[in-house]
Amino acid sequence: MGCLGKTTDEFVSGIFIRNCTFYDTNNGVRIKTWPALHRGIASNMHFEDIMMKNVRNPIVIDQVYCPRNQCNPKLPSKVKIANVTFENIRGSLATAVAVRLNCNSSFPCQKVELADINLMYRGKEGPAKSLCANVKPTLKEKLTPTIC
């Protein structure tokens, strides 16, 4: 899908991704928005029954996406992210960070739910972990690693 908010106001809703397998990829399921450029909404997105095999970034929301210094990462994204569910996502990781929810303080992510997550890392960086900013996700069922 690309990155929201870079060139125009964008509104994305009603995405349902189910029954996928990611092999040796940099990214699994990811939502990313540019800071400060254009307004938009990313809502009603559901990711379910997904297998990760040696994936570097399996579950990501990045509301501060700014690759190669192409923008000012200190400015907030104007794209609102809401009603996102990650359910029954399992498998193996290439890095220790299983879940990264990086939302901004001006438009924090709302109604993010994680349920039945089982992502394992067996490497030099220690056990799998999650990193979260400006989000209070709803957590359900078994969650490995501990989320936020």
Side-chain angles (χ1 to χ4, degrees):
M1 178 183 334
C3 187
L4 299 173
K6 182 178 181 184
T7 57
T8 62
D9 291 355
E10 298 181 271
F11 302 90
V12 177
S13 182
I15 303 295
F16 195 98
I17 306 297
R18 179 184 213 173
N19 222 11
C20 300
T21 302
F22 292 82
Y23 294 96
D24 298 319
T25 61
N26 278 332
N27 299 300
V29 293
R30 177 169 75 159
I31 301 168
K32 58 185 179 170
T33 67
W34 285 82
L37 297 174
H38 295 274
R39 297 188 180 279
I41 297 173
S43 66
N44 299 316
M45 298 181 165
H46 187 86
F47 303 92
E48 180 181 331
D49 296 333
I50 297 174
M51 175 65 73
M52 305 286 175
K53 294 188 178 184
N54 199 42
V55 175
R56 296 184 60 79
N57 303 294
I59 299 174
V60 176
I61 294 177
D62 189 356
Q63 248 184 329
V64 193
Y65 181 75
C66 186
R68 299 175 298 283
N69 296 318
Q70 296 179 19
C71 53
N72 183 348
K74 295 183 182 193
L75 297 174
S77 171
K78 295 178 183 175
V79 177
K80 178 182 175 182
I81 296 175
N83 299 316
V84 178
T85 303
F86 302 100
E87 183 176 358
N88 192 27
I89 299 177
R90 62 212 177 280
S92 64
L93 310 176
T95 61
V97 179
V99 176
R100 181 183 313 266
L101 305 177
N102 188 17
C103 301
N104 72 54
S105 58
S106 296
F107 291 90
C109 301
Q110 299 174 342
K111 296 182 182 178
V112 175
E113 179 180 302
L114 292 103
D116 198 20
I117 306 296
N118 189 6
L119 295 167
M120 304 300 291
Y121 173 74
R122 292 184 176 89
K124 298 175 189 175
E125 300 171 52
K129 60 187 173 186
S130 68
L131 301 174
C132 301
N134 300 305
V135 62
K136 293 179 182 173
T138 301
L139 307 174
K140 295 183 177 180
E141 301 179 37
K142 184 182 177 197
L143 300 166
T144 302
T146 301
I147 309 296
C148 304

